[in-house]
Amino acid sequence: MRVLRLVLAALVTVCALGGLARLHSPTLGPGGAAVRQLGFLRAELDDGAGDAAQAMFPEGYFFPHALYGLAWVDVGRHRADRAEALREVRWALSRLDGPQGTAPFSAGLAPRHGVFYAGWTNWLRGGMLSLQDTAARDPAEVERFERDSRDLAAAFDASATPFLQAYPDQSWPVDSTVAIASLRLHDALLPARYGDTVRRWLDGARERLDPATGLLPHVTDPRTGTPLRVPGPPRRASSSASSPMSTRCSPGSSTCASGSCSWCGRWGSGRRCANTRGAPTGPATSTAGRCRSASRCRRRW
């Protein structure tokens, strides 16, 4: 029996070590596990996975394409031949730049389409440029990255708060961190311009930390950057996680039990209110923002 236990323990150890080796060994090269998984994800996106996710939350179409592109940036950094990675990142950016990518976001904000959209796309565009030697970069892509970085910096410099709006009158600090990271990336790839902007942002952010956690607050006043308390039980800050929570809308009403539903849309056989970030996720099917049937309200708290 003792011998059997030793044999079983040895087998378990070998399997565990094999799993660790597979987890940490290079899997990013041609034909590696990461590339195969990205191939699956690309097929899903081509088959409408982004549209399906859009029915769940306002950034549903945006996030799968942005994260797909960023995953290819990481893969490209581990490969000598980066042509495939560059092609896929450009494809992801083209989807984000298209009408479905920009639809949930307001073109009237500064920066255009809000800091969530502008920050993530700039971060991805900079990642694409980081895969190329300076001489090999497309001048048009460089110019777009410079222009978008300039617009982001101008918006931060003109703002009384370090936390820009992602949607009209709504500000989540986590979105501004991505935008600031993209400005740092700009200065790593191109002649440095935004050091002062980044330093001012850091000073302003440190002055507005959540007093309860010492972390960046989850949501802030869009005009002052003052941390706002979200009604209901305590939840993790954006610094650690953000997840949607569903509540029920009353039939014929635009009010939820824990907040307001300002928009209704038809998804499949039912209707949902989408006020996750105060922006619609599809064409409205109601008037005056009132739900005409029992609906599902999604709020990102």
Side-chain angles (χ1 to χ4, degrees):
M1 181 63 70
R2 183 172 180 274
V3 173
L4 179 59
R5 288 174 179 165
L6 289 174
V7 170
L8 290 174
L11 287 173
V12 170
T13 301
V14 169
C15 290
L17 290 174
L20 285 172
R22 183 175 180 183
L23 178 64
H24 294 287
S25 62
T27 60
L28 302 177
V35 176
R36 293 195 298 273
Q37 291 170 13
L38 285 169
F40 167 79
L41 292 174
R42 172 60 192 267
E44 291 296 301
L45 289 171
D46 285 338
D47 199 35
D51 298 316
Q54 185 65 30
M56 302 178 190
F57 63 107
E59 300 90 2
Y61 181 90
F62 185 96
F63 260 133
H65 289 89
L67 297 178
Y68 175 81
L70 289 167
W72 268 111
V73 170
D74 283 341
V75 168
R77 289 175 179 152
H78 293 80
R79 303 175 79 173
D81 183 358
R82 296 174 171 178
E84 184 180 17
L86 287 168
R87 183 182 69 245
E88 294 304 307
V89 175
R90 288 184 176 115
W91 175 83
L93 281 167
S94 72
R95 300 289 287 256
L96 297 177
D97 285 339
Q100 286 179 283
T102 60
F105 308 103
S106 172
L109 292 175
R112 183 176 171 84
H113 296 122
V115 72
F116 172 88
Y117 178 89
W120 279 98
T121 53
N122 207 48
W123 178 248
L124 179 55
R125 207 176 307 277
M128 176 186 65
L129 294 179
S130 74
L131 298 180
Q132 305 168 76
D133 294 331
T134 302
R137 293 170 184 162
D138 185 329
E141 293 175 343
V142 174
E143 194 279 330
R144 172 68 185 274
F145 182 56
E146 288 184 321
R147 183 177 74 245
D148 290 353
S149 296
R150 186 166 58 248
D151 291 346
L152 273 170
F156 279 116
D157 291 343
S159 176
T161 165
F163 309 130
L164 303 182
Q165 295 179 38
Y167 295 97
D169 296 321
Q170 298 183 78
S171 169
W172 287 263
V174 66
D175 300 328
S176 289
T177 63
V178 179
I180 286 293
S182 77
L183 296 184
R184 291 285 291 167
L185 180 57
H186 172 281
D187 286 2
L189 297 174
L190 301 171
R193 294 183 178 179
Y194 303 119
D196 289 342
T197 299
V198 172
R199 282 188 289 273
R200 281 193 297 271
W201 187 88
L202 288 170
D203 290 342
R206 291 187 182 111
E207 293 172 357
R208 295 168 173 83
L209 297 178
D210 185 337
T213 65
L215 303 173
L216 288 177
H218 174 54
V219 62
T220 59
D221 184 291
R223 281 159 287 280
T224 66
T226 303
L228 297 179
R229 282 288 163 206
V230 178
R235 300 186 178 92
R236 289 179 293 174
S238 290
S239 306
S240 59
S242 294
S243 61
M245 183 186 75
S246 297
T247 55
R248 298 293 299 181
C249 284
S250 301
S253 170
S254 60
T255 301
C256 289
S258 64
S260 64
C261 291
S262 59
W263 174 87
C264 294
R266 180 183 293 277
W267 302 105
S269 59
R271 299 173 189 234
R272 288 179 185 167
C273 294
N275 194 34
T276 307
R277 286 186 162 201
T281 57
T285 59
S286 66
T287 59
R290 299 184 66 83
C291 303
R292 293 180 296 189
S293 63
S295 304
R296 196 176 184 185
C297 174
R298 290 182 173 270
R299 295 174 63 94
R300 181 179 176 182
W301 295 127

PDB file of all heavy atoms in Angstrom, residues 219-256:
ATOM      1  N   VAL A 219     -16.314  55.454  -9.126  1.00  0.00           N
ATOM      2  CA  VAL A 219     -17.032  56.434  -9.939  1.00  0.00           C
ATOM      3  C   VAL A 219     -16.868  57.799  -9.279  1.00  0.00           C
ATOM      4  O   VAL A 219     -16.776  57.900  -8.052  1.00  0.00           O
ATOM      5  CB  VAL A 219     -18.521  56.048 -10.093  1.00  0.00           C
ATOM      6  CG1 VAL A 219     -19.217  56.022  -8.749  1.00  0.00           C
ATOM      7  CG2 VAL A 219     -19.245  56.978 -11.057  1.00  0.00           C
ATOM      8  N   THR A 220     -16.801  58.860 -10.092  1.00  0.00           N
ATOM      9  CA  THR A 220     -16.549  60.190  -9.550  1.00  0.00           C
ATOM     10  C   THR A 220     -17.503  61.214 -10.139  1.00  0.00           C
ATOM     11  O   THR A 220     -18.125  60.994 -11.173  1.00  0.00           O
ATOM     12  CB  THR A 220     -15.107  60.641  -9.864  1.00  0.00           C
ATOM     13  OG1 THR A 220     -14.911  60.650 -11.282  1.00  0.00           O
ATOM     14  CG2 THR A 220     -14.086  59.718  -9.220  1.00  0.00           C
ATOM     15  N   ASP A 221     -17.584  62.353  -9.457  1.00  0.00           N
ATOM     16  CA  ASP A 221     -18.315  63.482  -9.998  1.00  0.00           C
ATOM     17  C   ASP A 221     -17.630  63.918 -11.289  1.00  0.00           C
ATOM     18  O   ASP A 221     -16.419  64.158 -11.299  1.00  0.00           O
ATOM     19  CB  ASP A 221     -18.306  64.631  -8.984  1.00  0.00           C
ATOM     20  CG  ASP A 221     -19.139  65.811  -9.443  1.00  0.00           C
ATOM     21  OD1 ASP A 221     -18.724  66.482 -10.415  1.00  0.00           O
ATOM     22  OD2 ASP A 221     -20.183  66.089  -8.829  1.00  0.00           O
ATOM     23  N   PRO A 222     -18.358  64.005 -12.392  1.00  0.00           N
ATOM     24  CA  PRO A 222     -17.718  64.291 -13.682  1.00  0.00           C
ATOM     25  C   PRO A 222     -17.131  65.698 -13.788  1.00  0.00           C
ATOM     26  O   PRO A 222     -16.321  65.958 -14.681  1.00  0.00           O
ATOM     27  CB  PRO A 222     -18.847  64.094 -14.695  1.00  0.00           C
ATOM     28  CG  PRO A 222     -20.100  64.323 -13.914  1.00  0.00           C
ATOM     29  CD  PRO A 222     -19.806  63.819 -12.534  1.00  0.00           C
ATOM     30  N   ARG A 223     -17.519  66.600 -12.872  1.00  0.00           N
ATOM     31  CA  ARG A 223     -17.001  67.971 -12.950  1.00  0.00           C
ATOM     32  C   ARG A 223     -15.856  68.230 -11.983  1.00  0.00           C
ATOM     33  O   ARG A 223     -14.973  69.035 -12.271  1.00  0.00           O
ATOM     34  CB  ARG A 223     -18.147  68.967 -12.677  1.00  0.00           C
ATOM     35  CG  ARG A 223     -19.048  69.188 -13.888  1.00  0.00           C
ATOM     36  CD  ARG A 223     -20.396  69.739 -13.490  1.00  0.00           C
ATOM     37  NE  ARG A 223     -21.226  68.742 -12.850  1.00  0.00           N
ATOM     38  CZ  ARG A 223     -21.911  67.809 -13.520  1.00  0.00           C
ATOM     39  NH1 ARG A 223     -21.843  67.747 -14.827  1.00  0.00           N
ATOM     40  NH2 ARG A 223     -22.660  66.922 -12.864  1.00  0.00           N
ATOM     41  N   THR A 224     -15.838  67.532 -10.853  1.00  0.00           N
ATOM     42  CA  THR A 224     -14.810  67.801  -9.843  1.00  0.00           C
ATOM     43  C   THR A 224     -13.863  66.632  -9.615  1.00  0.00           C
ATOM     44  O   THR A 224     -12.780  66.818  -9.068  1.00  0.00           O
ATOM     45  CB  THR A 224     -15.467  68.158  -8.504  1.00  0.00           C
ATOM     46  OG1 THR A 224     -16.165  67.004  -7.999  1.00  0.00           O
ATOM     47  CG2 THR A 224     -16.439  69.317  -8.672  1.00  0.00           C
ATOM     48  N   GLY A 225     -14.273  65.430  -9.990  1.00  0.00           N
ATOM     49  CA  GLY A 225     -13.469  64.250  -9.706  1.00  0.00           C
ATOM     50  C   GLY A 225     -13.626  63.736  -8.294  1.00  0.00           C
ATOM     51  O   GLY A 225     -12.925  62.795  -7.900  1.00  0.00           O
ATOM     52  N   THR A 226     -14.525  64.305  -7.519  1.00  0.00           N
ATOM     53  CA  THR A 226     -14.761  63.846  -6.155  1.00  0.00           C
ATOM     54  C   THR A 226     -15.344  62.441  -6.166  1.00  0.00           C
ATOM     55  O   THR A 226     -16.280  62.161  -6.921  1.00  0.00           O
ATOM     56  CB  THR A 226     -15.737  64.788  -5.428  1.00  0.00           C
ATOM     57  OG1 THR A 226     -15.204  66.114  -5.450  1.00  0.00           O
ATOM     58  CG2 THR A 226     -15.962  64.341  -3.992  1.00  0.00           C
ATOM     59  N   PRO A 227     -14.807  61.519  -5.358  1.00  0.00           N
ATOM     60  CA  PRO A 227     -15.366  60.155  -5.323  1.00  0.00           C
ATOM     61  C   PRO A 227     -16.840  60.173  -4.942  1.00  0.00           C
ATOM     62  O   PRO A 227     -17.253  60.914  -4.049  1.00  0.00           O
ATOM     63  CB  PRO A 227     -14.519  59.459  -4.254  1.00  0.00           C
ATOM     64  CG  PRO A 227     -13.234  60.220  -4.221  1.00  0.00           C
ATOM     65  CD  PRO A 227     -13.616  61.646  -4.497  1.00  0.00           C
ATOM     66  N   LEU A 228     -17.629  59.376  -5.623  1.00  0.00           N
ATOM     67  CA  LEU A 228     -19.053  59.256  -5.337  1.00  0.00           C
ATOM     68  C   LEU A 228     -19.325  57.910  -4.696  1.00  0.00           C
ATOM     69  O   LEU A 228     -18.717  56.895  -5.058  1.00  0.00           O
ATOM     70  CB  LEU A 228     -19.876  59.397  -6.621  1.00  0.00           C
ATOM     71  CG  LEU A 228     -19.792  60.738  -7.348  1.00  0.00           C
ATOM     72  CD1 LEU A 228     -20.657  60.697  -8.604  1.00  0.00           C
ATOM     73  CD2 LEU A 228     -20.227  61.883  -6.440  1.00  0.00           C
ATOM     74  N   ARG A 229     -20.254  57.908  -3.774  1.00  0.00           N
ATOM     75  CA  ARG A 229     -20.663  56.664  -3.141  1.00  0.00           C
ATOM     76  C   ARG A 229     -21.820  56.068  -3.922  1.00  0.00           C
ATOM     77  O   ARG A 229     -22.800  56.753  -4.219  1.00  0.00           O
ATOM     78  CB  ARG A 229     -21.090  56.921  -1.696  1.00  0.00           C
ATOM     79  CG  ARG A 229     -19.918  57.088  -0.757  1.00  0.00           C
ATOM     80  CD  ARG A 229     -19.226  55.765  -0.535  1.00  0.00           C
ATOM     81  NE  ARG A 229     -17.889  55.974   0.014  1.00  0.00           N
ATOM     82  CZ  ARG A 229     -16.906  55.130  -0.149  1.00  0.00           C
ATOM     83  NH1 ARG A 229     -17.084  54.051  -0.858  1.00  0.00           N
ATOM     84  NH2 ARG A 229     -15.732  55.357   0.385  1.00  0.00           N
ATOM     85  N   VAL A 230     -21.698  54.802  -4.239  1.00  0.00           N
ATOM     86  CA  VAL A 230     -22.749  54.098  -4.967  1.00  0.00           C
ATOM     87  C   VAL A 230     -23.744  53.525  -3.968  1.00  0.00           C
ATOM     88  O   VAL A 230     -23.340  52.880  -2.996  1.00  0.00           O
ATOM     89  CB  VAL A 230     -22.149  52.959  -5.821  1.00  0.00           C
ATOM     90  CG1 VAL A 230     -23.253  52.207  -6.539  1.00  0.00           C
ATOM     91  CG2 VAL A 230     -21.149  53.525  -6.807  1.00  0.00           C
ATOM     92  N   PRO A 231     -25.056  53.754  -4.167  1.00  0.00           N
ATOM     93  CA  PRO A 231     -26.045  53.201  -3.237  1.00  0.00           C
ATOM     94  C   PRO A 231     -25.966  51.687  -3.183  1.00  0.00           C
ATOM     95  O   PRO A 231     -25.638  51.031  -4.170  1.00  0.00           O
ATOM     96  CB  PRO A 231     -27.378  53.660  -3.827  1.00  0.00           C
ATOM     97  CG  PRO A 231     -27.042  54.813  -4.725  1.00  0.00           C
ATOM     98  CD  PRO A 231     -25.667  54.529  -5.243  1.00  0.00           C
ATOM     99  N   GLY A 232     -26.265  51.135  -2.026  1.00  0.00           N
ATOM    100  CA  GLY A 232     -26.310  49.691  -1.901  1.00  0.00           C
ATOM    101  C   GLY A 232     -25.135  49.169  -1.105  1.00  0.00           C
ATOM    102  O   GLY A 232     -24.325  49.924  -0.567  1.00  0.00           O
ATOM    103  N   PRO A 233     -24.989  47.844  -1.027  1.00  0.00           N
ATOM    104  CA  PRO A 233     -23.919  47.244  -0.229  1.00  0.00           C
ATOM    105  C   PRO A 233     -22.564  47.538  -0.835  1.00  0.00           C
ATOM    106  O   PRO A 233     -22.441  47.783  -2.038  1.00  0.00           O
ATOM    107  CB  PRO A 233     -24.242  45.733  -0.295  1.00  0.00           C
ATOM    108  CG  PRO A 233     -25.043  45.574  -1.543  1.00  0.00           C
ATOM    109  CD  PRO A 233     -25.843  46.838  -1.673  1.00  0.00           C
ATOM    110  N   PRO A 234     -21.481  47.532  -0.032  1.00  0.00           N
ATOM    111  CA  PRO A 234     -20.142  47.812  -0.542  1.00  0.00           C
ATOM    112  C   PRO A 234     -19.749  46.806  -1.610  1.00  0.00           C
ATOM    113  O   PRO A 234     -20.040  45.621  -1.524  1.00  0.00           O
ATOM    114  CB  PRO A 234     -19.253  47.674   0.704  1.00  0.00           C
ATOM    115  CG  PRO A 234     -20.184  47.814   1.863  1.00  0.00           C
ATOM    116  CD  PRO A 234     -21.499  47.278   1.399  1.00  0.00           C
ATOM    117  N   ARG A 235     -19.068  47.309  -2.626  1.00  0.00           N
ATOM    118  CA  ARG A 235     -18.570  46.449  -3.689  1.00  0.00           C
ATOM    119  C   ARG A 235     -17.140  46.827  -3.974  1.00  0.00           C
ATOM    120  O   ARG A 235     -16.676  47.897  -3.607  1.00  0.00           O
ATOM    121  CB  ARG A 235     -19.413  46.584  -4.953  1.00  0.00           C
ATOM    122  CG  ARG A 235     -20.862  46.198  -4.717  1.00  0.00           C
ATOM    123  CD  ARG A 235     -21.634  46.213  -6.021  1.00  0.00           C
ATOM    124  NE  ARG A 235     -22.997  45.809  -5.776  1.00  0.00           N
ATOM    125  CZ  ARG A 235     -23.974  46.658  -5.509  1.00  0.00           C
ATOM    126  NH1 ARG A 235     -23.731  47.942  -5.468  1.00  0.00           N
ATOM    127  NH2 ARG A 235     -25.185  46.216  -5.286  1.00  0.00           N
ATOM    128  N   ARG A 236     -16.418  45.960  -4.681  1.00  0.00           N
ATOM    129  CA  ARG A 236     -15.020  46.222  -4.975  1.00  0.00           C
ATOM    130  C   ARG A 236     -14.876  47.454  -5.850  1.00  0.00           C
ATOM    131  O   ARG A 236     -15.703  47.731  -6.705  1.00  0.00           O
ATOM    132  CB  ARG A 236     -14.409  45.008  -5.686  1.00  0.00           C
ATOM    133  CG  ARG A 236     -14.220  43.814  -4.779  1.00  0.00           C
ATOM    134  CD  ARG A 236     -13.653  42.650  -5.524  1.00  0.00           C
ATOM    135  NE  ARG A 236     -14.592  42.138  -6.512  1.00  0.00           N
ATOM    136  CZ  ARG A 236     -14.297  41.182  -7.381  1.00  0.00           C
ATOM    137  NH1 ARG A 236     -13.108  40.651  -7.399  1.00  0.00           N
ATOM    138  NH2 ARG A 236     -15.204  40.767  -8.244  1.00  0.00           N
ATOM    139  N   ALA A 237     -13.772  48.165  -5.669  1.00  0.00           N
ATOM    140  CA  ALA A 237     -13.511  49.353  -6.464  1.00  0.00           C
ATOM    141  C   ALA A 237     -13.124  48.963  -7.875  1.00  0.00           C
ATOM    142  O   ALA A 237     -12.743  47.823  -8.153  1.00  0.00           O
ATOM    143  CB  ALA A 237     -12.377  50.166  -5.829  1.00  0.00           C
ATOM    144  N   SER A 238     -13.179  49.942  -8.813  1.00  0.00           N
ATOM    145  CA  SER A 238     -12.770  49.683 -10.187  1.00  0.00           C
ATOM    146  C   SER A 238     -11.319  49.270 -10.257  1.00  0.00           C
ATOM    147  O   SER A 238     -10.888  48.629 -11.202  1.00  0.00           O
ATOM    148  CB  SER A 238     -12.979  50.939 -11.042  1.00  0.00           C
ATOM    149  OG  SER A 238     -14.330  51.198 -11.229  1.00  0.00           O
ATOM    150  N   SER A 239     -10.525  49.664  -9.267  1.00  0.00           N
ATOM    151  CA  SER A 239      -9.124  49.305  -9.276  1.00  0.00           C
ATOM    152  C   SER A 239      -8.938  47.803  -9.256  1.00  0.00           C
ATOM    153  O   SER A 239      -7.919  47.288  -9.698  1.00  0.00           O
ATOM    154  CB  SER A 239      -8.428  49.918  -8.060  1.00  0.00           C
ATOM    155  OG  SER A 239      -8.661  51.303  -8.004  1.00  0.00           O
ATOM    156  N   SER A 240      -9.924  47.060  -8.723  1.00  0.00           N
ATOM    157  CA  SER A 240      -9.788  45.612  -8.650  1.00  0.00           C
ATOM    158  C   SER A 240     -10.740  44.880  -9.568  1.00  0.00           C
ATOM    159  O   SER A 240     -10.413  43.826 -10.080  1.00  0.00           O
ATOM    160  CB  SER A 240     -10.014  45.146  -7.207  1.00  0.00           C
ATOM    161  OG  SER A 240     -11.306  45.529  -6.769  1.00  0.00           O
ATOM    162  N   ALA A 241     -11.933  45.433  -9.767  1.00  0.00           N
ATOM    163  CA  ALA A 241     -12.887  44.729 -10.631  1.00  0.00           C
ATOM    164  C   ALA A 241     -14.052  45.633 -10.959  1.00  0.00           C
ATOM    165  O   ALA A 241     -14.359  46.547 -10.226  1.00  0.00           O
ATOM    166  CB  ALA A 241     -13.402  43.467  -9.928  1.00  0.00           C
ATOM    167  N   SER A 242     -14.705  45.353 -12.089  1.00  0.00           N
ATOM    168  CA  SER A 242     -15.965  46.002 -12.447  1.00  0.00           C
ATOM    169  C   SER A 242     -16.844  44.943 -13.067  1.00  0.00           C
ATOM    170  O   SER A 242     -16.418  44.224 -13.955  1.00  0.00           O
ATOM    171  CB  SER A 242     -15.739  47.125 -13.465  1.00  0.00           C
ATOM    172  OG  SER A 242     -15.001  48.168 -12.910  1.00  0.00           O
ATOM    173  N   SER A 243     -18.061  44.817 -12.599  1.00  0.00           N
ATOM    174  CA  SER A 243     -18.954  43.820 -13.164  1.00  0.00           C
ATOM    175  C   SER A 243     -20.372  44.350 -13.143  1.00  0.00           C
ATOM    176  O   SER A 243     -20.759  45.073 -12.228  1.00  0.00           O
ATOM    177  CB  SER A 243     -18.886  42.511 -12.367  1.00  0.00           C
ATOM    178  OG  SER A 243     -19.287  42.736 -11.041  1.00  0.00           O
ATOM    179  N   PRO A 244     -21.187  44.000 -14.163  1.00  0.00           N
ATOM    180  CA  PRO A 244     -22.557  44.481 -14.201  1.00  0.00           C
ATOM    181  C   PRO A 244     -23.435  43.748 -13.210  1.00  0.00           C
ATOM    182  O   PRO A 244     -23.209  42.606 -12.871  1.00  0.00           O
ATOM    183  CB  PRO A 244     -22.989  44.184 -15.641  1.00  0.00           C
ATOM    184  CG  PRO A 244     -22.143  43.041 -16.050  1.00  0.00           C
ATOM    185  CD  PRO A 244     -20.827  43.210 -15.340  1.00  0.00           C
ATOM    186  N   MET A 245     -24.466  44.431 -12.730  1.00  0.00           N
ATOM    187  CA  MET A 245     -25.449  43.820 -11.844  1.00  0.00           C
ATOM    188  C   MET A 245     -26.823  44.086 -12.429  1.00  0.00           C
ATOM    189  O   MET A 245     -27.108  45.193 -12.864  1.00  0.00           O
ATOM    190  CB  MET A 245     -25.348  44.422 -10.442  1.00  0.00           C
ATOM    191  CG  MET A 245     -26.308  43.766  -9.456  1.00  0.00           C
ATOM    192  SD  MET A 245     -26.289  44.595  -7.857  1.00  0.00           S
ATOM    193  CE  MET A 245     -27.216  46.062  -8.249  1.00  0.00           C
ATOM    194  N   SER A 246     -27.630  43.087 -12.470  1.00  0.00           N
ATOM    195  CA  SER A 246     -28.952  43.229 -13.071  1.00  0.00           C
ATOM    196  C   SER A 246     -30.013  43.446 -12.011  1.00  0.00           C
ATOM    197  O   SER A 246     -29.992  42.838 -10.949  1.00  0.00           O
ATOM    198  CB  SER A 246     -29.304  41.970 -13.868  1.00  0.00           C
ATOM    199  OG  SER A 246     -28.416  41.787 -14.934  1.00  0.00           O
ATOM    200  N   THR A 247     -30.948  44.324 -12.299  1.00  0.00           N
ATOM    201  CA  THR A 247     -32.129  44.510 -11.474  1.00  0.00           C
ATOM    202  C   THR A 247     -33.332  44.550 -12.391  1.00  0.00           C
ATOM    203  O   THR A 247     -33.197  44.532 -13.606  1.00  0.00           O
ATOM    204  CB  THR A 247     -32.030  45.809 -10.660  1.00  0.00           C
ATOM    205  OG1 THR A 247     -31.791  46.887 -11.563  1.00  0.00           O
ATOM    206  CG2 THR A 247     -30.893  45.753  -9.658  1.00  0.00           C
ATOM    207  N   ARG A 248     -34.508  44.626 -11.813  1.00  0.00           N
ATOM    208  CA  ARG A 248     -35.721  44.574 -12.614  1.00  0.00           C
ATOM    209  C   ARG A 248     -36.343  45.951 -12.760  1.00  0.00           C
ATOM    210  O   ARG A 248     -36.341  46.753 -11.841  1.00  0.00           O
ATOM    211  CB  ARG A 248     -36.735  43.655 -11.955  1.00  0.00           C
ATOM    212  CG  ARG A 248     -36.271  42.224 -11.833  1.00  0.00           C
ATOM    213  CD  ARG A 248     -36.126  41.551 -13.162  1.00  0.00           C
ATOM    214  NE  ARG A 248     -37.372  41.482 -13.897  1.00  0.00           N
ATOM    215  CZ  ARG A 248     -37.479  40.911 -15.101  1.00  0.00           C
ATOM    216  NH1 ARG A 248     -36.427  40.407 -15.686  1.00  0.00           N
ATOM    217  NH2 ARG A 248     -38.633  40.892 -15.702  1.00  0.00           N
ATOM    218  N   CYS A 249     -36.850  46.231 -13.954  1.00  0.00           N
ATOM    219  CA  CYS A 249     -37.619  47.455 -14.194  1.00  0.00           C
ATOM    220  C   CYS A 249     -39.102  47.139 -14.023  1.00  0.00           C
ATOM    221  O   CYS A 249     -39.563  46.062 -14.381  1.00  0.00           O
ATOM    222  CB  CYS A 249     -37.418  47.946 -15.623  1.00  0.00           C
ATOM    223  SG  CYS A 249     -35.846  48.736 -15.908  1.00  0.00           S
ATOM    224  N   SER A 250     -39.814  48.101 -13.501  1.00  0.00           N
ATOM    225  CA  SER A 250     -41.261  47.934 -13.414  1.00  0.00           C
ATOM    226  C   SER A 250     -41.894  48.116 -14.789  1.00  0.00           C
ATOM    227  O   SER A 250     -41.457  48.973 -15.558  1.00  0.00           O
ATOM    228  CB  SER A 250     -41.847  48.972 -12.459  1.00  0.00           C
ATOM    229  OG  SER A 250     -41.279  48.845 -11.176  1.00  0.00           O
ATOM    230  N   PRO A 251     -42.897  47.327 -15.139  1.00  0.00           N
ATOM    231  CA  PRO A 251     -43.568  47.502 -16.428  1.00  0.00           C
ATOM    232  C   PRO A 251     -44.096  48.913 -16.592  1.00  0.00           C
ATOM    233  O   PRO A 251     -44.666  49.487 -15.664  1.00  0.00           O
ATOM    234  CB  PRO A 251     -44.701  46.476 -16.374  1.00  0.00           C
ATOM    235  CG  PRO A 251     -44.242  45.459 -15.382  1.00  0.00           C
ATOM    236  CD  PRO A 251     -43.450  46.218 -14.370  1.00  0.00           C
ATOM    237  N   GLY A 252     -43.888  49.479 -17.759  1.00  0.00           N
ATOM    238  CA  GLY A 252     -44.389  50.802 -18.059  1.00  0.00           C
ATOM    239  C   GLY A 252     -43.679  51.914 -17.329  1.00  0.00           C
ATOM    240  O   GLY A 252     -44.155  53.027 -17.279  1.00  0.00           O
ATOM    241  N   SER A 253     -42.524  51.609 -16.739  1.00  0.00           N
ATOM    242  CA  SER A 253     -41.815  52.626 -15.969  1.00  0.00           C
ATOM    243  C   SER A 253     -40.372  52.681 -16.401  1.00  0.00           C
ATOM    244  O   SER A 253     -39.827  51.727 -16.942  1.00  0.00           O
ATOM    245  CB  SER A 253     -41.890  52.294 -14.478  1.00  0.00           C
ATOM    246  OG  SER A 253     -41.020  53.136 -13.746  1.00  0.00           O
ATOM    247  N   SER A 254     -39.726  53.814 -16.175  1.00  0.00           N
ATOM    248  CA  SER A 254     -38.311  53.940 -16.478  1.00  0.00           C
ATOM    249  C   SER A 254     -37.479  53.839 -15.214  1.00  0.00           C
ATOM    250  O   SER A 254     -36.321  54.206 -15.197  1.00  0.00           O
ATOM    251  CB  SER A 254     -38.030  55.284 -17.174  1.00  0.00           C
ATOM    252  OG  SER A 254     -38.402  56.350 -16.329  1.00  0.00           O
ATOM    253  N   THR A 255     -38.074  53.351 -14.139  1.00  0.00           N
ATOM    254  CA  THR A 255     -37.371  53.310 -12.856  1.00  0.00           C
ATOM    255  C   THR A 255     -37.081  51.884 -12.432  1.00  0.00           C
ATOM    256  O   THR A 255     -37.941  51.021 -12.492  1.00  0.00           O
ATOM    257  CB  THR A 255     -38.199  53.997 -11.755  1.00  0.00           C
ATOM    258  OG1 THR A 255     -38.429  55.342 -12.144  1.00  0.00           O
ATOM    259  CG2 THR A 255     -37.462  53.984 -10.425  1.00  0.00           C
ATOM    260  N   CYS A 256     -35.842  51.654 -12.006  1.00  0.00           N
ATOM    261  CA  CYS A 256     -35.445  50.357 -11.466  1.00  0.00           C
ATOM    262  C   CYS A 256     -35.465  50.412  -9.948  1.00  0.00           C
ATOM    263  O   CYS A 256     -35.486  51.480  -9.354  1.00  0.00           O
ATOM    264  CB  CYS A 256     -34.033  50.001 -11.909  1.00  0.00           C
ATOM    265  SG  CYS A 256     -33.917  49.594 -13.648  1.00  0.00           S
TER     266      CYS A 256
END
